[in-house]
Amino acid sequence: MMYLIMTPSVMSAQTQPKFVTPGFTPPPTVISGQPLLNAADSVMMPYPVSNAIPQSYEDLMKAEFAADLSNPSNITTTVDFDPQLGFYVVRTRLGDRDVTTPFYLTQAQYNAWQNRLAMQHYFRQRNSDSVKGEKDKEPFNILDMNFALGPLDKIFGPGGVSLKTQGSVMMSFGVKSNKTDNPALSLQSRRHTYFDFDQKIQATIQAGVGTRMKFNMTYNTDATFDFDSKNIKLAYDGEEDDIVKQIEAGNVSMTTGSSLIRGSTALFGVKAKLQFGKLTTTALVSQQQSQSTSVSSKGGAQTTEFTVKVDDYDQNRHFFLGHFFRDNYDRFASKLPFVSSGIKITRIEVWITNKNSNFEQARNFVGFMDLGENTHLASTYWKPDMTLPLPTNSSNNLL
C-alpha cells in the first residue's frame, strides 16, 4: 500500500489524489495547525540512486557508484545465447523467477560488456595484490633473501636470486682436570688438565638463480662417513629443447643402467649431461672419495692386510727406520718391483703419547736415537762395531 502526502500550499482539495485501496482513512496533512512537509525542508541527494537490477544495455555499461551495495546472493544475472535470433538474452532472476523483463544484446554489445568486466576484475586484482604485498612485506632477513634479476631472467629463468638457510648449531666448551693418586705414576702424570670442546652442526644452504641454476650445501657433524659430512653441489638445468640438459659441479654421482658396470658413489668433480636428438651423453670428471675395505678376525684379534708402496709416503709422517735403509735406498729400489734389500721386518712396536684420561696401560719409557747404528751416531760416547754390516742391537755398545 502507498500513501502520498502533499502540502496544502502546493495542492488543492480538488487536485488531491485519491487512494487506490478503499476502506483506509488517509493520513492527516496537518498536525496542530502545522503542515507535515514543507518545500523548504526537502533535501536533494548529491548522487542519484542507481538501479540495482539492470533493465537495459545502458544499465550494464554505466559506472558503478562505490557506495552502492551488491545484490543479494539469491538475485543472479545470467546471459544465454539465442542461436535462432543471433542475440544474447540477459535475465535477472530471484531464485527461479524473473524479477525484470529480459532484454537482448548484440554480439558487439556483449563483447564490450565482457571486456569491461574483465578490465574491472583485472584492476581489482592488481589493487588487491599491491595492498596485500604491502601488508605481507617482511623485514630484511639474511637467512632468507630474494632479489629480482631483471633482464637476466631470460638467461636463468624467472624467480630471481634466492637464498635460504636453515639448521641448528650447538657448541659446548669446558675444562676438565683429572688427578690420579697412583704411586706408580710420576707426579706429572698424576694430573691431566685439558679443554673439552664439542660441536654439533646441522646446516643446509639452498640458493638459486632463476629456475635453471641451483646451489645446495649441507654440513652435518653427525654423519657416519667423513665424505657425507660436507656436501656441496652447483647445478644448472637446461630446458627441454636445450642441448645442455644438466651440468653439476661438486658432490656428484654416476649411475649406470647395467648391473655389470656399477656406478661409483661419493664422487667430487664435474658432471655434464648432453642430448643430441635421440642420443644422450653423460660426461664425468671426478675424484672418488669412498673405498671398499674388508676386515677379517682370527683368534679374537682383528687383522688387516695392507701394502705401502715406496713412493706412497707423507712428509713428516713416514720415516726410515735407520740410516742403513736411507743410505741403501737407491740400491735396494733399483730393480723395482723387486726389492733387493734381503731384509724382512717382522715386528715393529709404535708408542704414542697418552693424551687421554685412560691410564690402564700407561708406562714410562726412555727412547734412544742411536740404537742399531754404527756409522751415524749422534753421540761420540758410544763405540760402534764396524764388523756388523746390518743394523742390530750389537751395532754399538749403547745397550
Side-chain angles (χ1 to χ4, degrees):
M1 89 189 47
M2 299 179 61
Y3 295 97
L4 182 61
I5 303 174
M6 306 299 292
T7 58
S9 60
V10 178
M11 299 191 65
S12 61
Q14 297 179 357
T15 59
Q16 185 175 4
K18 296 182 181 181
F19 295 94
V20 179
T21 305
F24 289 93
T25 304
T29 59
V30 178
I31 299 178
S32 301
Q34 299 292 334
L36 291 178
L37 297 176
N38 193 351
D41 296 336
S42 62
V43 178
M44 298 299 296
M45 299 186 62
Y47 300 101
V49 179
S50 60
N51 190 5
I53 300 175
Q55 298 181 0
S56 62
Y57 173 71
E58 289 74 14
D59 294 341
L60 293 175
M61 299 298 294
K62 68 181 180 180
E64 298 179 356
F65 186 52
D68 290 342
L69 300 178
S70 302
N71 292 333
S73 59
N74 55 354
I75 297 179
T76 57
T77 300
T78 59
V79 181
D80 299 328
F81 180 72
D82 192 344
Q84 297 181 355
L85 299 177
F87 290 94
Y88 292 89
V89 183
V90 182
R91 292 185 175 88
T92 302
R93 297 180 178 180
L94 175 61
D96 297 335
R97 297 185 179 183
D98 293 332
V99 295
T100 184
T101 303
F103 58 93
Y104 294 94
L105 295 178
T106 62
Q107 295 185 2
Q109 292 175 342
Y110 177 78
N111 293 334
W113 178 43
Q114 293 297 320
N115 186 28
R116 183 172 181 271
L117 293 179
M119 293 298 295
Q120 289 178 352
H121 176 73
Y122 172 74
F123 285 112
R124 288 196 187 99
Q125 185 67 28
R126 292 296 301 270
N127 187 26
S128 176
D129 294 341
S130 62
V131 174
K132 183 178 179 182
E134 293 178 358
K135 292 182 179 179
D136 297 342
K137 188 175 181 181
E138 298 180 355
F140 177 77
N141 186 4
I142 193 174
L143 300 179
D144 191 357
M145 298 183 295
N146 196 341
F147 302 97
L149 284 176
L152 294 179
D153 287 345
K154 298 180 180 179
I155 301 176
F156 298 101
V161 179
S162 61
L163 175 63
K164 188 175 183 180
T165 306
Q166 59 183 0
S168 61
V169 178
M170 184 178 63
M171 296 185 180
S172 59
F173 301 87
V175 178
K176 290 185 177 181
S177 179
N178 297 328
K179 182 179 180 181
T180 305
D181 292 333
N182 187 358
L185 300 177
S186 62
L187 294 178
Q188 297 179 353
S189 302
R190 295 181 183 181
R191 179 178 292 274
H192 292 270
T193 303
Y194 55 91
F195 291 96
D196 186 9
F197 175 76
D198 188 17
Q199 61 179 356
K200 185 177 181 180
I201 302 175
Q202 294 180 357
T204 302
I205 298 177
Q206 296 179 354
V209 181
T211 58
R212 298 188 178 184
M213 184 167 291
K214 303 294 182 182
F215 174 77
N216 297 326
M217 184 180 70
T218 58
Y219 185 77
N220 185 9
T221 56
D222 294 339
T224 305
F225 301 101
D226 183 65
F227 58 83
D228 288 336
S229 61
K230 296 178 288 293
N231 195 336
I232 301 175
K233 179 184 290 186
L234 178 63
Y236 174 84
D237 296 330
E239 299 294 336
E240 182 179 1
D241 298 333
D242 293 345
I243 297 178
V244 180
K245 287 295 183 181
Q246 190 180 53
I247 297 178
E248 296 180 356
N251 295 96
V252 297
S253 61
M254 182 66 180
T255 57
T256 59
S258 175
S259 59
L260 299 177
I261 303 176
R262 297 182 179 181
S264 302
T265 59
L267 303 177
F268 188 86
V270 180
K271 175 183 176 181
K273 185 177 181 181
L274 310 176
Q275 183 174 0
F276 304 91
K278 296 183 179 180
L279 177 62
T280 302
T281 304
T282 303
L284 178 66
V285 178
S286 64
Q287 177 185 4
Q288 186 174 355
Q289 296 180 336
S290 62
Q291 60 182 359
S292 300
T293 58
S294 59
V295 178
S296 60
S297 60
K298 181 178 181 181
Q302 178 177 321
T303 59
T304 303
E305 295 184 2
F306 60 92
T307 303
V308 179
K309 299 180 180 179
V310 293
D311 59 346
D312 187 9
Y313 67 92
D314 294 336
Q315 187 176 4
N316 297 328
R317 289 189 59 185
H318 296 136
F319 308 93
F320 290 101
L321 296 179
H323 285 86
F324 172 80
F325 300 99
R326 183 177 183 274
D327 296 338
N328 296 276
Y329 175 79
D330 294 334
R331 185 167 58 89
F332 292 161
S334 61
K335 299 180 180 181
L336 291 179
F338 173 72
V339 180
S340 60
S341 64
I343 299 175
K344 183 177 180 181
I345 301 174
T346 58
R347 180 180 177 182
I348 296 178
E349 290 189 6
V350 180
W351 293 77
I352 61 175
T353 304
N354 185 11
K355 296 182 180 181
N356 300 324
S357 59
N358 185 8
F359 302 101
E360 294 181 357
Q361 297 181 359
R363 299 180 185 179
N364 296 328
F365 67 94
V366 178
F368 297 95
M369 62 181 303
D370 289 335
L371 285 177
E373 296 290 346
N374 56 7
T375 56
H376 300 275
L377 293 175
S379 176
T380 58
Y381 182 80
W382 315 118
K383 296 180 180 180
D385 188 357
M386 303 303 298
T387 61
L388 301 175
L390 300 179
T392 180
N393 290 335
S394 302
S395 296
N396 54 60
N397 62 342
L398 188 151
L399 290 180

